[in-house]
């Protein structure tokens, strides 16, 4: 069985202006790889209704899952939920279960559950809520699209909640081998080895640490025995 | 004059597998913002010929500039130059000026200028070389597409070389104001202020530092006087 595929959509002006450095993409990539879901592409778009709709509809059609981060808070620049509803041509309302969760949360905190905070209960029809153990305001899954917060601690907690519910594939494994030689020196033999193992992918990543140049060679695949066989050959080629 | 627009394409399996955390996107975002070029979207794709071609042709058609990072080294997984040539339906050859640069570099280092290293001289017809002051192997500009290395130090050096040659717009300025109140508490008044300044964009970014919850409010635009006027109002609203 081939591994399920996924895409990510990061939503937020603050990433594209350089104000904030995204970290959710890297976290998602690591978790999906462990879970056997293959992250095929990622995109970052601004807080722009039409740009979000276009990216969502392109990516959800081409992958088993789409994960989004950002734009589900209480302020006027939080437009993700409305855009997702528009992408699915689905109505969006203040949903009763989300309203009840948030009402209880703000009651406990002694804070008013005002109109802005009520916006976080706006959920497209047919969606399933994603639990937010940190600040209550839920994410949601609609079809194959999982809509999560941009704040890293909340994104990570939401992902930890839903990932066990998604069917994974064989874990995507990797092994790496470090050689203190330049890429250009080992490229020929490395390419020949890669050609002998078409079921694996092999990548080379140059580094320069404290003036020492070298290359990390990485072998990826789903069959541990094949990866071991290739790694044995690789270590013999470049001791 | 509106600001020129740009997109970024990050190329590399290692980003999508979670092995490597991309930093070039954040660096580019900051430099373009200073230069008055508006980064509208960013994408990450795997080392996949068709995926690179599709992304390049989509993004270069919709923006004034496209910046790419990754995939221009000497190994078999470095396929960016071939894919860019295919995207432009342009021939690609070992170009004489790039061959000469690399020959001299490897002669100085006393290393063989082998077939793998010669691959780094493969440049699509009609491209202009981008200087690589760190490891010589050049990037290139073809049409409105700027093709650069994935290694951050080299990406940054290449960008520093070409950015002064690109026409910028008015710098994209921002000011921020930190308030120790939750987003939901200030959202209503903040949205009303944003509506009064349609020529500016206003964003709110919650934080939680050592147990203190608060919100950074950011105002962005190109007219310093307008930003000052909005910031004065903002500080009066939320002292």
């Amino acid at each position: 069985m081939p591994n399920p595929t996924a895409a990510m959509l990061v939503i937020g002006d603050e990433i594209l202006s350089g104000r904030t450095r995204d970290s959710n993409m890297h976290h998602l990539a690591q978790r999906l790889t462990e879970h056997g879901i293959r992250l095929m592409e990622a995109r970052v778009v601004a807080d722009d209704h039409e740009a979000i709709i276009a990216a969502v509809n392109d990516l959800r059609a081409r992958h088993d899952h789409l994960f989004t981060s950002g734009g589900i808070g209480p302020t006027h620049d939080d437009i993700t939920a409305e855009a997702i509803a528009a992408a699915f041509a689905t109505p969006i309302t203040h949903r009763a279960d989300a309203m009840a969760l948030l009402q209880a949360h703000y009651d406990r905190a002694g804070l008013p559950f005002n109109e802005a905070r009520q916006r976080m209960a706006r959920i497209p029809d047919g969606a399933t809520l994603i639990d937010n153990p940190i600040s209550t305001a839920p994410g949601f899954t609609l079809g194959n699209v999982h809509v999560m917060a941009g704040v890293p601690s909340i994104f990570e907690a939401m992902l930890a909640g839903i990932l066990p519910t998604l069917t994974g594939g064989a874990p995507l494994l990797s092994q790496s081998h470090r050689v203190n030689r330049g890429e250009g020196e080992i490229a020929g033999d490395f390419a020949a080895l890669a050609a002998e193992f078409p079921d694996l992918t092999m990548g080379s990543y140059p580094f320069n640490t404290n003036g020492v140049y070298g290359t990390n060679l990485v072998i990826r695949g789903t069959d541990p025995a094949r990866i071991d066989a290739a790694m044995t050959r690789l270590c013999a080629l470049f001791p």
Side-chain angles (χ1 to χ4, degrees), chain A residues 16 34 36 55 59 62 70 95 111 139 153 160 162 184 191 212 214-215 231:
Chain A
L16 294 168
E34 292 164 2
L59 294 171
R62 292 193 291 109
R95 211 166 84 172
L111 293 170
S153 59
I162 61 165
V212 177
T215 307
M231 187 52 75

Side-chain angles (χ1 to χ4, degrees), chain A residues 41-65:
Chain A
E41 60 183 305
R43 295 191 192 176
V44 185
V45 296
D47 299 321
D48 178 283
H49 188 69
E50 297 303 329
I52 299 170
I53 292 172
V56 165
N57 281 337
D58 186 24
L59 294 171
R60 74 184 173 101
R62 292 193 291 109
H63 300 287
D64 295 317
H65 296 284

Side-chain angles (χ1 to χ4, degrees), chain A residues 59-67 88 141-146:
Chain A
L59 294 171
R60 74 184 173 101
R62 292 193 291 109
H63 300 287
D64 295 317
H65 296 284
L66 170 61
F67 299 85
F88 280 82
T141 293
L142 182 60
N144 63 341
V145 182
H146 311 285

Side-chain angles (χ1 to χ4, degrees), chain A residues 140-238:
Chain A
F140 61 85
T141 293
L142 182 60
N144 63 341
V145 182
H146 311 285
V147 177
M148 294 179 284
V151 174
S153 59
I154 305 176
F155 178 85
E156 292 168 20
M158 286 180 167
L159 183 65
I162 61 165
L163 206 48
T165 72
L166 305 180
T167 304
L172 301 164
L173 306 171
S174 70
Q175 288 188 35
S176 68
H177 178 57
R178 176 186 159 127
V179 295
N180 287 336
R181 298 162 75 179
E183 279 193 296
E185 199 177 323
I186 52 95
D189 289 341
F190 188 48
L193 185 67
E196 281 185 53
F197 290 85
D199 52 323
L200 305 176
T201 61
M202 300 196 192
S204 90
Y205 307 104
F207 65 82
N208 176 0
T209 308
N210 302 324
V212 177
Y213 283 90
T215 307
N216 283 307
L217 302 174
V218 178
I219 302 179
R220 301 186 187 89
T222 54
D223 181 342
R226 290 284 289 167
I227 296 178
D228 283 345
M231 187 52 75
T232 301
R233 293 280 309 285
L234 186 68
C235 292
L237 273 173
F238 311 118

Side-chain angles (χ1 to χ4, degrees), chain A residues 28-174:
Chain A
L28 179 70
Q30 293 184 313
R31 294 294 86 72
L32 290 181
T33 295
E34 292 164 2
H35 198 68
I37 296 176
R38 204 177 284 274
L39 182 61
M40 304 296 285
E41 60 183 305
R43 295 191 192 176
V44 185
V45 296
D47 299 321
D48 178 283
H49 188 69
E50 297 303 329
I52 299 170
I53 292 172
V56 165
N57 281 337
D58 186 24
L59 294 171
R60 74 184 173 101
R62 292 193 291 109
H63 300 287
D64 295 317
H65 296 284
L66 170 61
F67 299 85
T68 79
S69 76
I72 62 167
T75 55
H76 67 275
D77 57 333
D78 289 305
I79 61 174
T80 297
E82 307 286 333
I84 299 284
F88 280 82
T90 293
I92 180 168
T93 59
H94 290 83
R95 211 166 84 172
D97 53 356
M99 287 290 280
L101 283 171
L102 287 160
Q103 177 82 63
H105 171 75
Y106 288 107
D107 284 352
R108 277 193 305 274
L111 293 170
F113 187 37
N114 61 21
E115 186 181 332
R117 289 174 172 139
Q118 291 177 26
R119 283 192 67 211
M120 296 190 286
R122 287 183 66 75
I123 306 287
D125 282 8
T128 306
L129 300 187
I130 297 176
D131 184 46
N132 173 352
I134 293 182
S135 57
T136 304
F140 61 85
T141 293
L142 182 60
N144 63 341
V145 182
H146 311 285
V147 177
M148 294 179 284
V151 174
S153 59
I154 305 176
F155 178 85
E156 292 168 20
M158 286 180 167
L159 183 65
I162 61 165
L163 206 48
T165 72
L166 305 180
T167 304
L172 301 164
L173 306 171
S174 70

